[in-house]
Amino acid sequence: MPDTTHDVFRSSGVRAEAVKTRLVERQTGEEQVHQQVEVWGVVQGVGFRPFVYRLATELGLHGTVCNEGSFVRIDIQGGLVAVKDFRLRLRQEAPGAARIEDLRVQTLPWVNFSTFTIEPSTTNLDHPALSIPPDLAICEDCLADMKNPSSRYFQYPFTSCTQCGPRYTLARSLPFDRETTTMDAFPLCNPCMKDYDSVSSRRFHAQATSCSQCGPELQWMEMDGHIQDRGEAALIQAKKLLLAGKVVAVMGVGGVHLAVNALDESAVARLRERKKRPTKPLAVLMDPEEVNQQCVVSLEEWESLKSKERPIVLLRRRPESNLAVGVAPGMARLGVFLPYTGIQVLLLGDSGLHCLVMTSGNVSGEPLVYTVRDALDRLSGLADGFLLHNREILRPVDDSVLRIDEGQPLLLRRSRGYVPGGFSVPRRTSRLALAVGGDVKNAFALLREGKIWLSPHIGDLENPRTLKLFTREVDWTCSLLQMQPEVVVHDLHPGYHSTQFARKRAEPLWGVQHHHAHMAACMLEHGMSGPTLGVILDGMGYGDDGNIWGGELLLGDMLTYERVGHLTPLRLIGGDTVTKEPWRGVFNVLFETGLWSKWADWAADWLEVSQASTRRLESALRSRFPGLVSTSAGRLFDVAGALVTRLGVAHFEGELPMRLEALVDPAERGAYSFDLDSSAGRLQLNYGAAMVQLFADLRAGRPSFEVATRFHRGFSQGLCRLTLQAVRDTGVRQVVVGGGVWQNEWLLRWFVQTLAAQGVTVAVPHLFPINDGGIAVGQLAVFLAQQPF
C-alpha cells in the first residue's frame, strides 16, 4: 500500500492556510491572494529588487523577491486590490535602466509570509536568457557625487550605482551578482557595504559599486607595465600629455581608446599616421557646453547624446567650428559623444581640454584592444602614454553609432549601451539556432524560445584577430545561455569567413540569401507579414545566379522571395580591388556603357590614372574575361564619388560615397536621368544616361556640389519610379528598405518622402543597423518563417 503520509500532511497544511486566508478575509472584508510573478527582461543589476521591496512595503504586501537565473521571481501576498496595484506599478514605475518584457503570473495557495524580504539569488537556468543589463552612462546622481568634496566618491572615476556603470563587459555568468563579475576582486569597504545593504540607498545591491578605498584605481603605466602613478596623479600625467599634443591610450568600459586633443591639427595627424587610418572619420568626446559651439544639434539629437546608452551621434558641423580639419576630412557630419564614464568626465574637467578625439584603440582593421597586456603590447607604437585601470574587462565592446533620421535614431553600429538586449519574435520554435551574419560589420545572433539576441559589433572578419574574437564571443554567448545550437544559419556567399565558420561546425546548416535577410529583418522589426516589396541597396551580396547583387527590388515575405527588379548589370574586372580602387569601376562603366572612346582619356587625366593602368584594364575588358557581374548600388556610388571628388582610391569602405553625400545641397533641384527598362524580362534601373550627364557636367566645370546633388536626386527619383512601377504591377503597397547604401541620409529621406506622397509607407529598421550589422537578425527571421508549427 503506498505511503500517503506526506500527501496527508501537505493537504492538511493547505487546508490550514485556506482557513487562515478566510479568517483574514472576514477580518478585512477583502479577498486575500498569493501570486507568484516572474519578471523577464533587463531586470538584474538595475536596482529592480530594491524597487520591488520598496513598492511592496509601501502597499503593505508580504512575500519575497529574488534573482532566479535569468529572471526575477516575486512572491506577493495580500489584498487583491493591492496586489493588482502592485503588478500595475511594476511596469509603470520600474527603474529607468530596467526593461520589463514579460510578466508571468500564477495564483498559489496562501503562505504565512510575515514581512517582505529580498532573498539570495539562485542559479535556476531552466530557461536561460541574456538578462545581463548593458553598460550604461554615468548618471546625474553619481556625477553629483563626483563633484561633491564632502562625498567619499569625490573625483572617484569608477563611481556607479544601480542606474549606471558597467554591466555586460564585466559579467562572467548569471545570475548577475557581484561574485559573478570581475568586481569580485574588490571586496567592499565598510561604508560601501553599508550602502550596498541599505534599502534606502541607490547603491542597494549595486554590483559594480565601490569607492577609492575599496575599488579599482587609475594607473599611469610605462611600456614595460610598470605603474608610475596612481589615482589623481595618473590623471594629471594623462592631461599633461594631451595638452602637449601627444597620444594617450585611455582604458574605459569596453576597451581602450586612443585620445588626442581634437583642436590640435598636428596631434590628429600624428594619430592618423600611427594608426594607419589616413581619412576615416574620428569620433570626438565633447563637454556638453562645447557641442553647440561645434555642431548644429536638434532636440532629438540632444536626447540621443544624453541618453543612458550614450552613443556616438552624427551631427552637422558648424562652418565656424575650430576642430581640427583632420578629424573628419571631407565629411559634413562629426561623430560626437558625451562623457559616459567618470574617467572621461575627469579628463575634460578643469584642464583646458574640451574636445578629445577618442577613437578605438587598435591598428586600423583590427579589433578593439581591451586588456592591459594587449594595450601595452599592441599599442606601444601608437600611444605616448597609458592611462589604464585594474578593473578587468572580459569582452571588448565598441561605442555605438547612430544618426537621427526624421526624428528617429537610425543605428549604424549597435554595441555599447544596447547589448545584450534582445528582441521578442511573434513565432516560436523549439529549435535553437545560431546566425553568423555576414563578413563586413559582422554581428551574430542567437535564437532561443521566442527571442533573438544580437551580439555587439564584431567587425570585419577578414582580419584574423577579429575572426578569433568572433569565435570566442559565439562560444561565450552560447555557454551563458546554456545553449548548443541545433542549426547554424549563414549567408550563401561561399567565400565569406562566416560561412566557412558555419561549415566547420557539426550542426546542420541553413543558408539564407543576403538581400532576403535584409528584407526579412526589417519585416520582423515592424511585425509585417504578407507580400512585401524590399528595396535593398548595398555593396555586395551573393545572388541566386552566382553574381554579385546589390541594387535589388524583391517581392516576397519572410518565407520566400522573387527578384522583380534591379540595377542594370555591370561587368567588373578587378574583383575586390574595385572597392579599394574605385577608378577601376569608372573605366568598367565607361566600357560597358559604350562611352570608352569618348571619355576614357579625359577620365584618366581627371583621376590621374596612368596610361599603362588604363591600357591593362582595357585589354582585360576587351578580352571578354568574365569578371564579376554586379548590380551593386554601392559600386555605382563609388564610381560617382570617385569622379566628383577626383579620388581614385578609397582608404575605407564607403569613403567616396560618404564624401559625395557630404557635397549634396538640397537647394539644388537638378537631377540626372535614371531610366526604367523592362526589355530583359525584369524591371531595370539604367544609369547609362545619368553617367553621360555626369561626365559632361564635370568636363564643363559645373560645381561639384551641383553634380553630387543631381546624381543623388536622379538616383532617388529613378528608384522611386522603379518601386512605384512594381507597386502598380503587383498591387503590393508594403515596402521595406535595407542595406548599407541606405545610410545615405539624402537618398533615404527623398525616397521615403516621395513614396509617402504617393500613399506608400516605407518601413525602415531602427532597432538594429540598416547595414550588415543587422543581417543576422534577418537570417533568423527567414529561418523562423520556414519552420513548421
Side-chain angles (χ1 to χ4, degrees):
M1 188 172 185
D3 183 2
T4 60
T5 306
H6 177 72
D7 290 336
V8 169
F9 278 118
R10 185 173 60 188
S11 61
S12 299
V14 170
R15 285 197 299 273
E17 295 300 339
V19 169
K20 290 179 184 178
T21 304
R22 289 193 294 272
L23 178 61
V24 172
E25 288 173 354
R26 283 199 298 270
Q27 291 172 343
T28 63
E30 182 183 4
E31 181 182 353
Q32 302 292 301
V33 294
H34 169 206
Q35 293 185 346
Q36 188 171 94
V37 183
E38 290 182 4
V39 189
W40 291 79
V42 181
V43 288
Q44 296 188 16
V46 292
F48 194 79
R49 288 177 298 168
F51 155 70
V52 169
Y53 176 91
R54 288 189 287 268
L55 180 59
T57 303
E58 176 190 334
L59 293 172
L61 299 170
H62 296 166
T64 63
V65 60
C66 77
N67 285 339
E68 189 160 322
S70 301
F71 59 93
V72 169
R73 177 179 53 77
I74 305 168
D75 278 282
I76 196 74
Q77 187 167 282
L80 179 61
V81 173
V83 169
K84 286 182 176 179
D85 191 26
F86 173 83
R87 292 205 317 267
L88 180 67
R89 291 173 65 182
L90 270 183
R91 288 189 182 275
Q92 293 177 341
E93 301 174 18
R99 189 177 79 239
I100 296 176
E101 296 172 357
D102 192 18
L103 291 180
R104 304 175 188 176
V105 182
Q106 60 176 325
T107 299
L108 299 177
W110 186 269
V111 176
N112 192 27
F113 294 117
S114 60
T115 184
F116 195 91
T117 58
I118 296 178
E119 298 292 308
S121 299
T122 72
T123 55
N124 175 11
L125 288 176
D126 290 340
H127 303 283
L130 269 176
S131 56
I132 300 169
D135 304 307
L136 299 178
I138 186 168
C139 69
E140 292 298 321
D141 288 333
C142 285
L143 277 175
D145 286 344
M146 287 182 63
K147 295 174 183 177
N148 181 2
S150 64
S151 169
R152 75 174 186 277
Y153 303 103
F154 180 59
Q155 303 236 322
Y156 181 58
F158 303 97
T159 300
S160 69
C161 68
T162 57
Q163 297 307 296
C164 70
R167 303 286 195 276
Y168 178 70
T169 50
L170 51 75
R172 288 195 179 95
S173 61
L174 291 169
F176 185 77
D177 288 318
R178 194 176 183 93
E179 58 268 25
T180 61
T181 73
T182 59
M183 288 301 293
D184 67 345
F186 304 97
L188 293 170
C189 64
N190 288 336
C192 282
M193 182 60 77
K194 184 178 179 181
D195 277 350
Y196 184 86
D197 288 336
S198 172
V199 178
S200 62
S201 170
R202 73 175 195 278
R203 294 186 172 90
F204 182 42
H205 284 239
Q207 309 305 343
T209 190
S210 64
C211 71
S212 59
Q213 299 304 307
C214 62
E217 65 175 8
L218 281 180
Q219 299 172 342
W220 183 255
M221 286 194 180
E222 298 176 351
M223 300 290 186
D224 61 0
H226 173 70
I227 301 173
Q228 185 176 340
D229 284 300
R230 302 173 188 269
E232 185 179 1
L235 191 71
I236 291 171
Q237 289 277 25
K239 290 181 178 182
K240 282 182 180 177
L241 259 65
L242 289 168
L243 288 168
K246 303 296 185 180
V247 180
V248 176
V250 181
M251 196 171 188
V253 168
V256 177
H257 286 104
L258 291 171
V260 296
N261 187 348
L263 305 182
D264 187 333
E265 199 75 65
S266 62
V268 173
R270 186 178 302 114
L271 172 62
R272 285 195 175 282
E273 181 181 0
R274 293 180 183 180
K275 192 174 162 65
K276 299 178 183 177
R277 185 173 175 170
T279 56
K280 192 173 183 179
L282 303 168
V284 183
L285 169 69
M286 290 189 188
D287 269 334
E289 297 77 15
E290 191 71 18
V291 176
N292 275 322
Q293 305 299 315
Q294 304 290 348
C295 303
V296 178
V297 193
S298 69
L299 177 62
E300 293 84 2
E301 287 166 340
W302 263 117
E303 288 175 352
S304 289
L305 280 169
K306 296 192 297 182
S307 68
K308 63 182 183 293
E309 293 85 6
R310 207 60 58 91
I312 295 170
V313 181
L314 301 186
L315 304 175
R316 287 212 167 273
R317 181 174 184 158
R318 289 188 181 276
E320 65 272 20
S321 167
N322 65 337
L323 283 181
V325 175
V327 167
M331 303 297 161
R333 290 183 178 267
L334 296 169
V336 175
F337 66 103
L338 300 182
Y340 58 83
T341 70
I343 299 172
Q344 294 167 353
V345 170
L346 295 174
L347 277 175
L348 293 180
D350 303 322
S351 63
L353 296 167
H354 304 294
C355 302
L356 289 176
V357 165
M358 294 282 272
T359 188
S360 53
N362 56 8
V363 174
S364 187
E366 293 191 349
L368 180 67
V369 167
Y370 67 100
T371 68
V372 170
R373 187 68 266 162
D374 260 7
L376 297 172
D377 289 346
R378 292 169 55 194
L379 305 181
S380 59
L382 282 71
D384 298 304
F386 295 84
L387 183 64
L388 308 177
H389 59 70
N390 60 340
R391 183 181 65 203
E392 184 183 5
I393 299 171
L394 290 180
R395 61 196 59 87
V397 177
D398 273 296
D399 295 320
S400 297
V401 183
L402 63 80
R403 190 190 78 236
I404 296 299
D405 172 64
E406 296 296 301
Q408 294 190 68
L410 185 75
L411 277 169
L412 308 181
R413 184 167 72 198
R414 182 181 178 273
S415 213
R416 178 190 49 77
Y418 295 89
V419 295
F423 311 94
S424 295
V425 294
R427 303 187 71 184
R428 300 174 75 93
T429 176
S430 60
R431 301 187 74 184
L432 309 178
L434 162 68
V436 294
D439 259 23
V440 178
K441 298 180 175 63
N442 176 271
F444 63 88
L446 291 161
L447 170 68
R448 183 189 181 108
E449 296 182 352
K451 195 163 184 179
I452 290 174
W453 286 276
L454 181 63
S455 79
H457 168 81
I458 300 293
D460 297 349
L461 298 187
E462 68 175 4
N463 181 278
R465 291 183 189 270
T466 308
L467 186 58
K468 184 178 179 181
L469 170 66
F470 165 81
T471 303
R472 188 176 71 241
E473 288 300 292
V474 167
D475 291 342
W476 177 81
T477 310
C478 289
S479 173
L480 190 68
L481 287 172
Q482 293 191 332
M483 169 179 166
Q484 179 60 46
E486 298 172 68
V487 63
V488 178
V489 190
H490 63 89
D491 194 275
L492 295 180
H493 197 305
Y496 273 6
H497 292 85
S498 56
T499 302
Q500 293 166 12
F501 168 87
R503 288 177 174 172
K504 290 176 183 176
R505 295 178 66 97
E507 300 90 350
L509 301 181
W510 201 287
V512 175
Q513 201 278 328
H514 190 89
H515 301 96
H516 188 206
H518 273 304
M519 176 179 171
C522 190
M523 291 184 68
L524 181 70
E525 175 181 334
H526 291 276
M528 300 166 72
S529 60
T532 302
L533 288 168
V535 188
I536 315 300
L537 307 177
D538 61 7
M540 65 171 292
Y542 193 76
D544 293 337
D545 56 5
N547 291 319
I548 301 302
W549 294 4
E552 308 305 313
L553 179 59
L554 306 181
L555 170 64
D557 50 27
M558 285 187 276
L559 184 64
T560 186
Y561 68 94
E562 174 189 359
R563 191 187 193 197
V564 296
H566 52 77
L567 288 180
T568 298
L570 172 68
R571 186 171 64 109
L572 290 175
I573 300 294
D576 289 343
T577 59
V578 175
T579 63
K580 299 172 183 177
E581 299 178 355
W583 68 265
R584 296 177 180 274
V586 172
F587 288 92
N588 276 271
V589 167
L590 288 174
F591 188 85
E592 292 298 312
T593 54
L595 301 174
W596 185 280
S597 60
K598 184 175 182 179
W599 292 104
D601 289 342
W602 176 85
D605 291 340
W606 181 255
L607 295 174
E608 298 181 348
V609 178
S610 70
Q611 289 187 357
S613 295
T614 58
R615 279 198 299 268
R616 283 195 297 271
L617 185 55
E618 181 184 12
S619 177
L621 287 164
R622 294 192 184 282
S623 71
R624 307 312 297 174
F625 178 76
L628 298 173
V629 177
S630 169
T631 55
S632 167
R635 298 295 77 80
L636 184 62
F637 273 77
D638 281 342
V639 167
L643 286 165
V644 176
T645 65
R646 301 187 70 175
L647 296 172
V649 176
H651 295 101
F652 63 92
E653 185 204 14
E655 177 182 9
L656 302 192
M658 289 170 67
R659 287 177 177 266
L660 186 72
E661 176 187 352
L663 291 170
V664 169
D665 178 2
E668 164 63 33
R669 309 307 297 179
Y672 295 143
S673 301
F674 286 79
D675 304 319
L676 289 189
D677 180 3
S678 58
S679 60
R682 289 192 196 98
L683 291 171
Q684 290 190 18
L685 187 61
N686 192 307
Y687 48 81
M691 296 311 298
V692 170
Q693 293 166 329
L694 187 150
F695 276 108
D697 275 352
L698 288 175
R699 190 169 189 173
R702 186 174 294 277
S704 58
F705 76 87
E706 291 186 13
V707 178
T709 308
R710 290 179 175 196
F711 179 82
H712 276 80
R713 280 202 185 279
F715 185 83
S716 174
Q717 291 172 7
L719 196 64
C720 288
R721 287 195 299 273
L722 178 75
T723 307
L724 290 171
Q725 184 61 53
V727 168
R728 288 188 291 270
D729 291 346
T730 64
V732 174
R733 305 184 67 82
Q734 191 166 257
V735 177
V736 300
V737 296
V741 173
W742 287 112
Q743 294 172 133
N744 185 305
E745 66 173 307
W746 305 112
L747 181 59
L748 182 60
R749 182 179 304 172
W750 292 339
F751 181 79
V752 170
Q753 289 175 350
T754 302
L755 264 65
Q758 299 297 316
V760 178
T761 301
V762 179
V764 180
H766 291 286
L767 294 179
F768 45 82
I770 197 169
N771 55 43
D772 279 9
I775 204 166
V777 174
Q779 291 172 343
L780 288 178
V782 174
F783 168 75
L784 262 175
Q786 296 174 350
Q787 299 309 296
F789 289 90

